[in-house]
Amino acid sequence: MKERLEAMKAEALGRLAEASDPGRLNELRVHYLGKKGQLTEILRGMGSLPPEERPEIGRIANEVRAAIEAVIAEKQARFEREETAARLEAETIDVTLPGRAPRIGAVHPLMKVQQEIEDIFLGMGYAIAEGPEVETDFFNFEALNIPKNHPARDMQDTFYITDEILLRTHTSPVQIRAMRAAGGRTPLKIICPGKVFRRDDDDATHSFMFHQVEGLVVGPNIRMSDMLGTLLQFARAMFGPQVTIRQRPSFFPFVEPGAEVDVSCAQCGGEGCRMCKGTGWLEILGCGMVHPRVLEHGGYDPKEVTGFAFGMGIERIALLKYGIDDIRLFYGGDVRFLRQFAKM
Ligand code: PHE
């Protein structure tokens, strides 16, 4: 029996030495040490041994088991080390590989122009105010001195939600809201950027929704020359130091006097070109001295303060600034168009 045990040990160690994967290792363990394995098989003969020999055989059997287990454990550990090493090798990151650059979006050209306008006026001490896109008839029209029969109220121009509630047709209602919020304090200097809505048929120069920036200054002794100086400053910051402006009389119910301001064509320097349709001038905004009735609606006493206001379309400024000829490009979401502004 002793010989059988020694022979089994030798055979087992020999086969284990040749085992080259964990699966084989396990097979051999089961074969020699398992419940129905060789060792058990041999020890079953213990009963027929004289009792005095049994401890000796038991000791040898334990040694054999321990020797085989030791080899299995050692090889098992080696296989695991090798596997880890192989995995580390296979999964290494090549840090020298050029990266895959993520596609980065860009600020929409309209928002870029809006931010630029904001920056220019913030630099002149203005604050930014906002108002709701869904307005009441009162703020959008009535308080702005636009009487009930004014053509601007026509169903053709305005999206009405009810008789009293509508989508604002311009950013001018924010003038009233800002004046009321100021509670009579002066000077009030604000700009209000935002979306406005008109019942227009969309084409290259019209859209049912577009963006405006409103400006409002209220204080003692605010004069028309303050307004023109401010707008000249703005035009030069926006279109270049070489441009100039001119004003033409115009009518808006909420200002008196009212004007429209043109900027000299930056493209041709006023010579006349396709961009300015040969006139040398480009219309950029409406403006005027705040009407006394509007000041009153805002909670100011027109005998004590005066003010000026202006309103411009952001799309129009962007068209002129970038030489774009179709407003619909701004809303189409075509990345080939939009990407061109990423680096501007
Ligand atoms: N609200 C006018 C418009 O939408 C623009 C404007 C604003 C004119 C302020 C004068 C003063 O056309």
Side-chain angles (χ1 to χ4, degrees):
M1 195 153 182
K2 191 174 160 188
E3 289 73 37
R4 279 183 72 197
L5 283 170
E6 295 295 352
M8 187 199 95
K9 177 180 167 188
E11 182 192 282
L13 295 185
R15 287 206 196 164
L16 281 170
E18 276 160 32
S20 59
D21 63 83
R24 177 70 181 144
L25 222 49
N26 200 41
E27 263 171 45
L28 292 172
R29 186 207 338 271
V30 172
H31 180 73
Y32 291 108
L33 307 181
K35 244 196 240 139
K36 292 176 186 155
Q38 293 277 297
L39 188 62
T40 316
E41 173 73 26
I42 296 170
L43 292 181
R44 201 170 284 149
M46 280 273 255
S48 59
L49 286 179
E52 63 277 16
E53 283 179 28
R54 289 183 196 165
E56 168 75 352
I57 293 300
R59 192 182 52 77
I60 295 172
N62 278 339
E63 268 173 28
V64 168
R65 171 185 290 279
I68 294 174
E69 276 177 346
V71 172
I72 290 177
E74 184 256 315
K75 285 206 86 156
Q76 183 82 38
R78 175 139 45 89
F79 286 147
E80 278 168 17
R81 273 198 309 278
E82 281 169 7
E83 198 200 308
T84 307
R87 181 138 34 84
L88 284 176
E89 178 67 26
E91 292 176 2
T92 45
I93 295 168
D94 181 354
V95 293
T96 66
L97 220 60
R100 249 172 266 161
R103 285 263 189 102
I104 296 172
V107 178
H108 191 280
L110 282 180
M111 290 303 109
K112 256 180 130 104
V113 170
Q114 177 175 320
Q115 285 164 8
E116 210 174 323
I117 297 170
E118 288 173 2
D119 282 347
I120 294 168
F121 283 102
L122 286 171
M124 291 195 267
Y126 286 66
I128 295 177
E130 275 179 44
E133 291 166 7
V134 179
E135 260 298 2
T136 60
D137 176 275
F138 177 77
F139 284 108
N140 196 79
F141 293 128
E142 197 73 44
L144 289 167
N145 196 35
I146 302 175
K148 282 270 190 270
N149 57 356
H150 192 278
R153 289 190 170 214
D154 207 303
M155 289 296 284
Q156 238 88 65
D157 299 305
T158 307
F159 288 109
Y160 281 95
I161 292 165
T162 68
D163 277 354
E164 286 302 317
I165 298 170
L166 43 82
L167 298 184
R168 68 180 177 192
T169 57
H170 51 180
T171 42
S172 298
V174 190
Q175 285 188 33
I176 307 293
R177 293 180 174 276
M179 281 192 276
R180 291 189 170 192
R185 265 176 287 116
T186 58
L188 174 63
K189 291 172 75 178
I190 52 141
I191 54 164
C192 349
K195 287 187 170 72
V196 300
F197 305 84
R198 288 184 197 176
R199 285 180 57 133
D200 261 327
D201 288 324
D202 291 6
D203 62 22
T205 54
H206 295 83
S207 167
F208 69 91
M209 183 282 299
F210 60 102
H211 299 76
Q212 285 189 332
V213 175
E214 191 83 8
L216 173 70
V217 173
V218 178
N221 296 317
I222 300 293
R223 294 163 304 184
M224 190 133 186
S225 54
D226 297 320
M227 178 178 83
L228 294 173
T230 300
L231 295 176
L232 177 62
Q233 182 83 12
F234 163 73
R236 290 188 168 159
M238 195 68 191
F239 295 104
Q242 75 285 5
V243 303
T244 185
I245 58 170
R246 70 173 182 186
Q247 74 271 24
R248 290 174 285 105
S250 187
F251 176 75
F252 302 95
F254 34 95
V255 289
E256 182 56 38
E260 267 166 341
V261 163
D262 301 338
V263 61
S264 61
C265 182
Q267 187 107 333
C268 62
E271 294 286 303
C273 66
R274 215 173 64 98
M275 178 95 147
C276 55
K277 300 199 179 78
T279 65
W281 295 96
L282 299 157
E283 186 199 320
I284 56 166
L285 54 83
C287 59
M289 300 307 290
V290 182
H291 196 287
R293 253 180 252 154
V294 173
L295 286 172
E296 276 170 3
H297 277 298
Y300 287 92
D301 181 351
K303 288 193 281 304
E304 280 172 12
V305 298
T306 47
F308 67 78
F310 56 88
M312 66 184 98
I314 299 179
E315 277 81 351
R316 172 125 183 103
I317 303 284
L319 291 176
L320 299 177
K321 190 172 167 74
Y322 295 122
I324 299 163
D325 58 9
D326 194 329
I327 192 177
R328 288 167 293 196
L329 286 166
F330 289 131
Y331 315 119
D334 187 334
V335 288
R336 293 170 302 177
F337 170 74
L338 297 172
R339 201 177 286 147
Q340 298 173 65
F341 300 90
K343 292 189 194 70
M344 282 177 120

